[in-house]
Amino acid sequence: VAVVTGLTTDPDQLEDIVCTCELFDALLFEPDGPPCMCRSRHACGSICALSNMLLEIGRQHHDVIGVASQEYAMLRFTGQVEPEEKYQASFPPCLFHDGFMDQFGSYMERLEEHILSLHPDIRSELL
């Protein structure tokens, strides 16, 4: 996608994108299974932790204020509605969040470092 959209053709940047996506997938999904949201690590623990990490990176580096429903985001993007506070600033930690972070916190730090090392335009698209 990065090549087709003209975001980058640099082999090193492409390798960084692949590595970042592989780290993300390894944290989100259980090993040796198909990528399925029903089989994410620690039930929803990985989803909550990863979503919050991406939101925080977005807030710090890309003026992200939160997440919205796809419908509201498209209406807002096309100017059909005025800005309202119909977004979620973070995901509340679920019951499985602490167990996930205990087991995979160091991997989360590694993923965050990879994401932050990406070119800002590429990072923005991945977020």
Side-chain angles (χ1 to χ4, degrees):
V1 172
V3 173
V4 172
T5 60
L7 195 57
T8 186
T9 56
D10 182 298
D12 292 333
Q13 288 181 340
L14 292 171
E15 183 60 34
D16 289 343
I17 293 169
V18 169
C19 183
T20 301
C21 291
E22 287 174 349
L23 285 170
F24 187 90
D25 287 351
L27 280 167
L28 183 60
F29 302 116
E30 290 288 346
D32 302 324
C36 171
M37 296 309 284
C38 298
R39 291 177 41 93
S40 62
R41 289 186 185 270
H42 288 268
C44 56
S46 61
I47 296 168
C48 294
L50 288 163
S51 297
N52 281 328
M53 180 188 69
L54 294 176
L55 278 172
E56 189 58 31
I57 291 171
R59 261 194 289 280
Q60 290 178 8
H61 301 280
H62 300 281
D63 298 323
V64 169
I65 57 172
V67 294
S69 70
Q70 183 177 2
E71 178 183 351
Y72 174 75
M74 287 307 297
L75 290 172
R76 177 70 188 103
F77 180 72
T78 58
Q80 297 177 40
V81 296
E82 293 300 314
E84 298 177 32
E85 291 194 11
K86 289 189 175 182
Y87 60 85
Q88 189 171 334
S90 66
F91 293 88
C94 68
L95 294 174
F96 304 103
H97 177 269
D98 291 343
F100 174 80
M101 290 305 292
D102 287 345
Q103 188 170 356
F104 298 103
S106 63
Y107 294 100
M108 290 283 291
E109 290 173 10
R110 185 171 164 219
L111 174 60
E112 184 174 6
E113 289 171 6
H114 271 271
I115 292 171
L116 291 173
S117 72
L118 295 171
H119 186 279
D121 292 341
I122 294 171
R123 184 175 57 232
S124 178
E125 287 299 317
L126 286 177
L127 292 176

